[in-house]
Amino acid sequence: MPVFSRLGALALAAVAGSTNARVPVPRGLGCNVVVDRASCCMFTDARMDTPYGGQDCVPAKENVSFSTTGGADGPVCEPSCWASGRCGDGVNQSGRIGSCNASSDPWFLLGADRACRTDFDDRTVNGHGTVITLAGVSDAAQCRLTCARSSVCSGVEHSPGAKTCEIWTRPIGFTVEAPGYHCWGRAPRPAAGPSPPTPAPAVQPAPTPAPLPPGVVEQSGAQIPVGGDVRFYAVGTSNAAWQTWPDQLHVMLRQLGYSVGMEPLAVPGALTQPSKAQVCANAGAWGSLSTPRMGMIGWSSWGFAYDSKADCDAEGYRQIAGYPVSCTNAWACNPKWQGQYPSLNATALAVGVRNASFVVLSSWINDAKAARQAGPREVCYKDADIDALRSTNVTAANLKRLIRKIHAQNPHVKIVVLARYADTRQIVYPSERTLPLVRALNEAVKSKIQGEPNTYFADFDFPLNENMFQTLSKVHPNCRGDKVMATSVIEA
């Protein structure tokens, strides 16, 4: 059962054919990643910390591109101000800009030699099990005709070589490279004409709900409906203190129609805004907002899980999941790097968040980092035989301990455990080399907490070749990365 009834999800089929119903490119990316001219007209540039943010995406004319050579191998989609030479490093290429005029054709080619996906994060090949696959269909027109006969079909994926026709029943929100396959989106059916007048009923019907903003969808069976009060708290390490994802989450919830209001978190060390963060282009949206959080620099998950250090031995260690773990809360468990607040009472924290609708836990990011490095491993784990993957046993034990303390105060609080983000490459890019390990860590933690009631895991990936990390607080995601993290919480 989903947490939120309303998502800022991307649904290409829902907006196809409408030139004014644009949605941002997924995951804070730019128009230049869109590979199809027709779908280009459905987007605005989502790089909000650049001059391109919010600009309509415009397609290149057929057989040309926006490359400097004017050939057919460059980007076919760019922000309008760039293509006309009005922003960034763009030069005036107005002569190459194609048309976004609405078409009477109900079909839009979302990707040639590309396969359909529900969204940016979809790694399945069947729309999470919702696709109907027909064999022996060599003609794309026949495939689309079959879809058109269905009231639930949002588009098709067709391969003339494999003679397969996939009928998609969920909105198509992204495409991936797949030679020999074509992904088609189907425009929405026009609204039915007015019905003949009928006598007014004794009880007036409820007013028609206002139309959803572009790119927003409703989820049935969700636990938190739109319009009610939402309270949330973020509990994390430096990612909550030096990043803006809690603030961006606050703004997103308001934009989606939720009434967000939080009481201050009466726990020593609590913050209401980042203590240090780069300035985002849309920082004004949350500049006056209070978003309570715990952001404990350098801590690991065990710092948030215990009421005191009474169970620590004479050397300053306690046993967690069969491993000796330091009771010092600091990066690399170094006492010299302890902050103003060297410890936290977990029960007091649970009491502080007991009236929340949901709590986001990002407190375990450093657990595996300490296990991977010889120096921190020697101090934090007493040089035990532990590696990054085995450290997830320690992580899960601590997360469960805190989750259960919160649920002891209020079992209805939703807990969202935030995934670990990627390592860095060249300071600002996600590292592809260690990405399999990061994904394995996330999957391990997700599986170990799966049985906890009212607990969810918010997973995400960063695009590999995009600038996603800060230069101010290195190894921490930037405004663009924070937006991905905030979105993952809403979609958990």
Side-chain angles (χ1 to χ4, degrees), residues 404-418:
R404 291 169 185 176
K405 283 181 176 289
I406 294 173
H407 282 160
Q409 299 295 325
N410 182 354
H412 302 295
V413 177
K414 281 75 177 172
I415 306 295
V416 180
V417 177
L418 192 57

Side-chain angles (χ1 to χ4, degrees), residues 287-319:
S288 61
L289 298 180
S290 172
T291 308
R293 73 198 76 189
M294 297 301 302
M296 310 306 279
I297 311 302
W299 283 29
S300 297
S301 63
W302 49 85
F304 301 87
Y306 290 83
D307 290 350
S308 71
K309 298 183 179 181
D311 61 330
C312 299
D313 62 23
E315 295 181 86
Y317 289 86
R318 61 164 62 95
Q319 289 291 316

Side-chain angles (χ1 to χ4, degrees), residues 302 306 308-329 332-335 370 374-384 386 394:
W302 49 85
Y306 290 83
S308 71
K309 298 183 179 181
D311 61 330
C312 299
D313 62 23
E315 295 181 86
Y317 289 86
R318 61 164 62 95
Q319 289 291 316
I320 304 176
Y323 294 97
V325 179
S326 174
C327 295
T328 299
N329 295 317
C333 304
N334 189 332
R377 181 174 63 248
E378 180 179 358
V379 179
C380 291
Y381 295 106
K382 206 175 181 180
D383 208 19
I386 190 171
V394 175

Side-chain angles (χ1 to χ4, degrees), residues 166-234:
E166 291 186 355
I167 305 298
W168 278 67
T169 60
R170 290 181 62 175
I172 300 169
F174 207 70
T175 61
V176 297
E177 185 175 358
Y181 289 80
H182 288 63
C183 180
W184 295 82
R186 182 186 180 200
R189 293 182 176 183
S195 302
T198 56
V203 178
Q204 293 296 323
T208 302
L212 295 177
V216 175
V217 298
E218 296 280 12
Q219 292 198 116
S220 60
Q223 298 187 41
I224 302 180
V226 169
D229 292 334
V230 171
R231 293 185 176 91
F232 80 91
Y233 297 95

Side-chain angles (χ1 to χ4, degrees), residues 48-266:
M48 300 310 295
D49 52 351
T50 74
Y52 315 126
Q55 289 283 316
D56 284 354
C57 298
V58 294
K61 292 179 178 178
E62 292 294 331
N63 301 319
V64 298
S65 72
F66 289 118
S67 67
T68 55
T69 62
D73 57 348
V76 298
C77 185
E78 289 285 3
S80 58
C81 67
W82 184 92
S84 58
R86 294 182 287 106
C87 66
D89 58 358
V91 296
N92 192 346
Q93 303 183 64
S94 299
R96 299 177 186 168
I97 298 177
S99 173
C100 275
N101 292 335
S103 169
S104 59
D105 187 350
W107 290 97
F108 291 80
L109 181 62
L110 301 178
D113 288 323
R114 298 185 71 82
C116 306
R117 294 292 185 267
T118 59
D119 54 39
F120 183 87
D121 293 323
D122 183 8
R123 299 190 187 97
T124 69
V125 296
N126 59 359
H128 299 281
T130 62
V131 165
I132 302 169
T133 302
L134 306 176
V137 182
S138 58
D139 183 18
Q142 181 61 42
C143 181
R144 295 195 296 270
L145 179 61
T146 304
C147 169
R149 291 170 177 162
S150 168
S151 61
V152 297
C153 181
S154 61
V156 299
E157 178 185 298
H158 180 255
S159 170
K163 297 183 180 180
T164 56
C165 171
E166 291 186 355
I167 305 298
W168 278 67
T169 60
R170 290 181 62 175
I172 300 169
F174 207 70
T175 61
V176 297
E177 185 175 358
Y181 289 80
H182 288 63
C183 180
W184 295 82
R186 182 186 180 200
R189 293 182 176 183
S195 302
T198 56
V203 178
Q204 293 296 323
T208 302
L212 295 177
V216 175
V217 298
E218 296 280 12
Q219 292 198 116
S220 60
Q223 298 187 41
I224 302 180
V226 169
D229 292 334
V230 171
R231 293 185 176 91
F232 80 91
Y233 297 95
V235 177
T237 58
S238 55
N239 66 81
W242 293 349
Q243 294 177 224
T244 64
W245 65 261
D247 312 278
Q248 300 213 40
L249 174 58
H250 190 160
V251 172
M252 287 179 182
L253 289 171
R254 285 174 174 259
Q255 291 173 337
L256 289 170
Y258 296 96
S259 177
V260 186
M262 286 87 77
E263 300 170 356
L265 188 54

